[in-house]
Amino acid sequence: MSRDRFLLILRCLNFYESDEETVPDDRLYKVRLLIDYFNQKMKTIYYPSRELSIDEGMVLWRGRLHFRQYIQGKRHKYGIKIYSLCEPDGLCVSFTVYSGKGGELGGKGHASKVVKYLMRGMLGVGHSLYMDNYYISYPLATELLSEKTYCTGTMRSDRKHVPLDLKTARLARGEKAERYANGVLIAKWCDKRQVLYLSTEFENDWAISMNRYNQPRQKPLPIIQYNAHMKGVDRNDQLMSYYAFEHKSIRWYKKIFVHFLQTLLVNSFKLYLQTNPRKRSLYHFRLSIINMLLPAANAITPPLRPRQQTTVRHVLSKMDTPDNTGERMKRKRCRECSKTKKRTMTLFFCAQCPGEPGLCALRCFDKYHE
């Protein structure tokens, strides 16, 4: 496929029925097909492990868009926010796109709506869910616990239902304090700073973990489990950043499509590692996918179209002037005047025509080339 043909197909690429008269109320109708296809396909071919994590990512987009977001701590600060449910090794189970306050998941209780949307079909079977302080809250934890789904994660101190004495407690380094209610643990631990966390699965017991220097450290058990299983979305973004193929586009839904393709590649790589004893790197796996998509070497290809011969501009030339040898300047008989049986000798000729015919300067040159 030539480059121009590829760019033409890419220009006309869309994933929705374009009808200007009836515009759907869904802000994501341009990518709704991609989101539903991915989530349904993952439910069909794979069921995730017990530990899952929820976090948000950003797809770079600086153009005009109603639900464009700004997150200071992200690599791409401006863009389209994507909520993902992932396993700890980086396999994405489901995702959705944030469409603003007026969208499907916007409004009051937005974080709880996102968690329940991504966990559809996986409640009531004993999953362990890890979230950061943007999502977790006491009402959400009790609701998930009633659905036999455990949750663990850090918590904001300004959330409702946080005990006042725990909120205002000032602990020395290495100390911890906890409170229990309806099977939910809310605790605070002081390391370099005060950390508030919630868990419905683990007790607030001390446990030993190894730091980056392979030295043992004593930490609360929920904190150790949170650090071990909360890296799924970051790991997924890391794998996609190794061989990213994003390109500039004036259409935001094409950026989501490219992100969708990269997520499919990472998921297929993770599933390949789970089902094949022969291990392979992500780089060689991508090359094998490309080679499988290309046609076979002995496939019949259509003949190439003959290249059209480019037209050469004909220019009037003049005979060379002889040196100071006393010779006369050479002349040619005009080809156009000979047609009317008129003998005319001329110094000019056309070097681009076969035989370099002699032609008079103005009228005969133009008439001969008509």
Side-chain angles (χ1 to χ4, degrees), residues 226-256:
Y226 174 81
N227 293 335
H229 299 101
M230 187 54 197
K231 56 188 178 182
V233 179
D234 294 334
R235 178 60 176 164
N236 182 269
D237 293 340
Q238 181 184 10
L239 291 173
M240 287 193 294
S241 66
Y242 287 155
Y243 310 104
F245 50 84
E246 284 98 348
H247 65 283
K248 291 184 179 181
S249 175
I250 62 174
R251 295 173 176 86
W252 64 271
Y253 54 86
K254 290 185 181 179
K255 303 282 283 189
I256 301 297

Side-chain angles (χ1 to χ4, degrees), residues 4-220:
D4 293 343
R5 176 172 172 80
F6 171 76
L7 294 178
L8 180 62
I9 294 175
L10 187 64
R11 179 184 178 185
C12 303
L13 186 66
N14 64 77
F15 320 99
Y16 60 95
E17 296 181 0
S18 56
D19 188 359
E20 298 180 357
E21 296 181 357
T22 58
V23 178
D25 295 333
D26 186 10
R27 294 179 177 176
L28 301 177
Y29 74 97
K30 293 186 177 181
V31 293
R32 180 61 64 185
L33 177 64
L34 299 178
I35 298 173
D36 295 341
Y37 174 81
F38 179 86
N39 295 337
Q40 187 61 36
K41 179 62 69 174
M42 287 301 299
K43 289 181 180 179
T44 304
I45 66 175
Y46 180 75
Y47 191 82
S49 60
R50 184 174 184 271
E51 287 78 16
L52 297 171
S53 62
I54 293 179
D55 204 355
E56 68 273 0
M58 293 286 285
V59 176
L60 178 62
W61 178 259
R62 289 183 173 271
R64 295 179 61 184
L65 189 62
H66 182 73
F67 47 87
R68 189 189 69 170
Q69 296 291 303
Y70 171 79
I71 301 180
Q72 185 176 4
K74 293 295 182 180
R75 175 190 173 192
H76 303 306
K77 295 179 173 56
Y78 289 94
I80 303 170
K81 186 193 292 187
I82 293 182
Y83 296 111
S84 301
L85 177 69
C86 295
E87 289 186 347
D89 62 346
L91 188 143
C92 181
V93 179
S94 62
F95 79 96
T96 187
V97 179
Y98 177 61
S99 57
K101 293 182 179 180
E104 178 185 5
L105 303 177
K108 187 176 181 180
H110 164 65
S112 300
K113 293 179 183 178
V114 171
V115 174
K116 288 183 282 188
Y117 176 85
L118 295 177
M119 288 293 294
R120 289 183 304 177
M122 290 178 284
L123 297 175
V125 293
H127 279 288
S128 183
L129 191 59
Y130 295 88
M131 302 172 284
D132 60 12
N133 56 16
Y134 180 78
Y135 307 92
I136 206 163
S137 63
Y138 176 78
L140 177 62
T142 55
E143 186 175 355
L144 291 177
L145 189 60
S146 64
E147 296 284 347
K148 298 180 182 179
T149 302
Y150 307 99
C151 63
T152 302
T154 57
M155 191 176 184
R156 295 179 181 176
S157 58
D158 58 351
R159 293 284 191 186
K160 291 183 179 180
H161 309 288
V162 176
L164 182 60
D165 58 341
L166 196 64
K167 184 187 302 185
T168 58
R170 296 299 175 186
L171 305 177
R173 183 164 185 173
E175 294 182 350
K176 62 183 178 69
E178 64 274 350
R179 298 292 184 270
Y180 292 90
N182 300 324
V184 179
L185 163 70
I186 299 180
K188 177 182 282 191
W189 172 57
C190 181
D191 187 25
K192 292 183 180 179
R193 58 183 180 182
Q194 308 282 335
V195 180
L196 190 67
Y197 53 95
L198 180 148
S199 178
T200 59
E201 182 178 5
F202 305 104
E203 298 288 340
N204 197 31
D205 300 329
W206 291 109
I208 302 298
S209 68
M210 308 301 289
N211 61 7
R212 68 179 68 179
Y213 305 107
N214 202 23
Q215 298 174 350
R217 287 203 57 192
Q218 191 179 40
K219 294 181 181 180

Side-chain angles (χ1 to χ4, degrees), residues 292-356:
M292 293 174 65
L293 292 176
L294 291 176
N298 56 357
I300 300 176
T301 57
L304 298 176
R305 291 180 298 177
R307 182 175 295 180
Q308 297 180 355
Q309 187 176 5
T310 56
T311 58
V312 180
R313 182 181 179 185
H314 291 241
V315 181
L316 190 66
S317 303
K318 189 176 182 180
M319 303 290 290
D320 295 333
T321 304
D323 298 333
N324 297 327
T325 57
E327 297 181 2
R328 295 182 59 184
M329 184 177 293
K330 294 181 179 181
R331 297 171 181 267
K332 286 189 174 185
R333 188 175 178 179
C334 177
R335 184 75 60 86
E336 190 65 26
C337 292
S338 298
K339 296 179 181 179
T340 59
K341 298 180 180 182
K342 181 180 179 181
R343 184 180 180 86
T344 305
M345 305 303 293
T346 178
L347 296 173
F348 301 96
F349 67 97
C350 181
Q352 287 75 26
C353 289
E356 297 182 353

